[in-house]
Amino acid sequence: MFFKITSFLQLEERSYLCFVYIDIIQTNLWKTSKKLSNSSPKWMIRRPPRSTLFPYTTLFRSKALTSGLINQTYLVKSVSPEEPDYVLQRINHLIFTNIEMLQHNIEVVTRHIRQKLEARHEEDIERKVLHFLPSTNGKTYFYDGEGYWRISIFIPRSQTLETVTPESSYLAGLKFGEFQAMLADVPEQLGEIIPDFHNMEFRLKQLREAVSANISGRLAEVQDIVDAIEKDADTMCSAERFYREGKLPKRICHCDTKVSNMLFDENGKVLCVIDLDTVMPSFIFSDFGDFLRSAANTGKEDEADLNKVKFNMEIFKAFTKGYIESARTFLTPLEIEMLPYAATLFPYMQAVRFLADYINGDTYYQTRYKDHNLVRTKAQYKLYLEAKSATPDMKAYINSLL
């Protein structure tokens, strides 16, 4: 099946009507979108030639999905019960500037996972891996002159969860560990869709450049935080150093691990990992540490009351148990040894990023008030200190699992 968007009509706020033209002979699914003007919220119906349209016209109703923060995402529901539903996305090409690489990464990953599931004779495979449709140009995306679009088959009877509990954290660890394990032998090289995304040396370089320029004149008030961060800089760059020494590998990682990036079935069992835009080569710490940065934080990311910021060891234990159960088959001893380092790395890295942006005058992250980035910096640095103090307990628990 192939796709091309041919019409997309906004009926009301957050609700849309799609006209989908299906050529039965070539099994082509045609779609496209076209705005009347930048000032108009309406959409224009552009009917294809009658020879293409007639007599196979199918009506779809579409509704915006709100969980994603980067791409515009719509659930396209078929009127016909025989037809599947679809997920239509407009890719944010301001963030993902290399769409060809982005979709190549996703195609390689989903194809490899599908092959693994087939080799294991899994049942219900269509609900256990994403399936993106090729467009009429043979690629899994389509450029309509204004933006990039893609379509995947909607996975029925599925749901996402937002609540972080020890139970959901265990399932997340199990699934993301399995995700890495299934991709440990991918034969193709994937591109780095966001260069230096989780590179600690690069993030410290950005901070040092901000300190040197001191464009906003804010350095004096945060010099103590800068000094504290620099004190641990060498230790926190261990991964990059071990990689250069050939001691630490890079693997295919998800790089945006959270409970809401998994689909669950109607019985609460995990179906598959979703939101694959950031899948790329990285250290396994990207998936392990980034999950814990948010999930094991007892406070908010921008918590002003630092007494509320603690490192939740119950979440750590649950996630780690699941992760090691599914990932230990390919992890090296050094990777396992450095898992507590990963738990400290990501709050430290985020503190560095927030601090650099604060010194630069709040030019990257959106802020709601004057010192928002400074509050974020202090909250993340407090979480780093809490995780660092929990390192002996983390090591002891990991050793108990081996």
Side-chain angles (χ1 to χ4, degrees):
M1 183 176 286
F2 300 86
F3 79 86
K4 186 178 180 182
I5 306 169
T6 57
S7 55
F8 200 52
L9 174 66
Q10 182 174 345
L11 296 177
E12 57 190 63
E13 185 179 6
R14 307 200 67 74
S15 184
Y16 304 82
L17 187 67
C18 290
F19 289 89
V20 180
Y21 307 101
I22 301 181
D23 184 332
I24 297 296
I25 297 176
Q26 298 181 18
T27 60
N28 287 349
L29 173 65
W30 297 81
K31 294 180 182 179
T32 195
S33 67
K34 191 73 176 175
K35 273 192 175 179
L36 287 171
S37 68
N38 291 333
S39 61
S40 173
K42 298 182 181 297
W43 295 76
M44 175 179 66
I45 298 296
R46 186 177 64 193
R47 301 174 77 87
R50 189 168 182 80
S51 61
T52 304
L53 169 62
F54 183 83
Y56 312 110
T57 303
T58 303
L59 186 64
F60 282 69
R61 187 167 184 90
S62 173
K63 188 173 184 180
L65 297 175
T66 59
S67 60
L69 299 178
I70 304 299
N71 303 314
Q72 294 175 334
T73 306
Y74 308 91
L75 172 60
V76 182
K77 295 188 69 65
S78 173
V79 172
S80 171
E82 287 78 28
E83 295 287 343
D85 297 331
Y86 301 89
V87 175
L88 171 67
Q89 288 185 308
R90 182 170 182 166
I91 305 169
N92 189 330
H93 61 275
L94 298 179
I95 292 179
F96 302 111
T97 57
N98 190 334
I99 305 299
E100 181 73 25
M101 178 190 292
L102 173 76
Q103 288 303 115
H104 172 74
N105 285 358
I106 292 174
E107 290 165 30
V108 170
V109 165
T110 54
R111 182 170 59 246
H112 195 74
I113 291 176
R114 183 176 295 274
Q115 290 171 350
K116 288 291 183 75
L117 294 174
E118 291 172 348
R120 283 166 22 184
H121 304 290
E122 289 271 355
E123 297 181 351
D124 209 8
I125 290 178
E126 290 303 318
R127 298 175 71 209
K128 295 179 179 179
V129 61
L130 297 182
H131 181 190
F132 287 86
L133 303 182
S135 70
T136 50
N137 62 14
K139 301 179 184 296
T140 53
Y141 65 90
F142 178 77
Y143 181 67
D144 67 356
E146 295 179 3
Y148 295 87
W149 296 82
R150 66 187 175 197
I151 291 176
S152 61
I153 296 178
F154 176 75
I155 297 177
R157 306 183 311 282
S158 64
Q159 60 183 322
T160 59
L161 300 179
E162 298 289 341
T163 305
V164 176
T165 64
E167 292 75 21
S168 65
S169 296
Y170 168 76
L171 293 175
L174 196 66
K175 196 62 181 180
F176 283 112
E178 179 191 65
F179 181 81
Q180 290 181 350
M182 294 180 79
L183 299 173
D185 59 349
V186 169
E188 290 188 58
Q189 179 66 36
L190 268 62
E192 193 173 358
I193 194 64
I194 305 178
D196 297 313
F197 189 40
H198 289 158
N199 185 327
M200 192 63 249
E201 291 179 338
F202 174 73
R203 298 305 181 186
L204 281 167
K205 177 176 177 289
Q206 290 181 314
L207 174 62
R208 288 159 183 163
E209 289 171 348
V211 168
S212 178
N214 193 22
I215 294 174
S216 66
R218 292 172 167 177
L219 177 59
E221 64 176 303
V222 296
Q223 187 64 60
D224 58 333
I225 304 177
V226 172
D227 292 342
I229 284 173
E230 286 289 359
K231 183 179 178 182
D232 291 341
D234 186 62
T235 299
M236 301 315 293
C237 291
S238 296
E240 286 77 17
R241 187 168 59 253
F242 287 147
Y243 176 69
R244 285 192 296 272
E245 294 172 356
K247 299 177 181 178
L248 194 64
K250 285 190 177 182
R251 305 184 185 276
I252 305 304
C253 297
H254 187 275
C255 296
D256 190 15
T257 45
K258 49 192 176 186
V259 170
S260 59
N261 275 339
M262 300 187 301
L263 283 185
F264 294 79
D265 68 11
E266 55 270 63
N267 299 314
K269 294 183 179 179
V270 181
L271 289 170
C272 65
V273 171
I274 60 174
D275 197 356
L276 305 179
D277 289 335
T278 54
V279 170
M280 58 183 154
S282 188
F283 303 117
I284 57 104
F285 313 139
S286 291
D287 288 354
F288 188 87
D290 199 24
F291 179 88
L292 292 170
R293 184 186 74 84
S294 56
N297 186 358
T298 60
K300 298 178 295 186
E301 183 180 67
D302 57 354
E303 181 60 65
D305 184 356
L306 297 183
N307 291 322
K308 295 181 179 179
V309 179
K310 305 291 183 183
F311 185 75
N312 189 327
M313 276 296 295
E314 293 308 307
I315 296 297
F316 169 83
K317 289 179 179 180
F319 180 77
T320 302
K321 184 176 188 296
Y323 180 76
I324 288 182
E325 282 180 15
S326 56
R328 66 182 301 173
T329 56
F330 71 88
L331 292 175
T332 67
L334 181 59
E335 286 175 313
I336 295 174
E337 179 186 336
M338 293 183 71
L339 289 178
Y341 158 84
T344 64
L345 174 63
F346 278 80
Y348 177 90
M349 185 185 298
Q350 198 57 56
V352 167
R353 296 185 67 183
F354 283 143
L355 182 58
D357 197 35
Y358 182 73
I359 296 172
N360 281 332
D362 306 319
T363 59
Y364 184 78
Y365 293 105
Q366 290 186 353
T367 57
R368 297 196 303 271
Y369 50 89
K370 179 176 177 290
D371 292 335
H372 197 183
N373 271 328
L374 181 57
V375 170
R376 288 164 165 162
T377 299
K378 291 179 178 179
Q380 290 298 293
Y381 190 72
K382 175 67 184 314
L383 180 61
Y384 160 67
L385 294 177
E386 292 290 322
K388 184 180 178 181
S389 66
T391 295
D393 291 338
M394 286 191 275
K395 289 183 176 180
Y397 179 72
I398 290 171
N399 287 336
S400 74
L401 299 175
L402 303 177

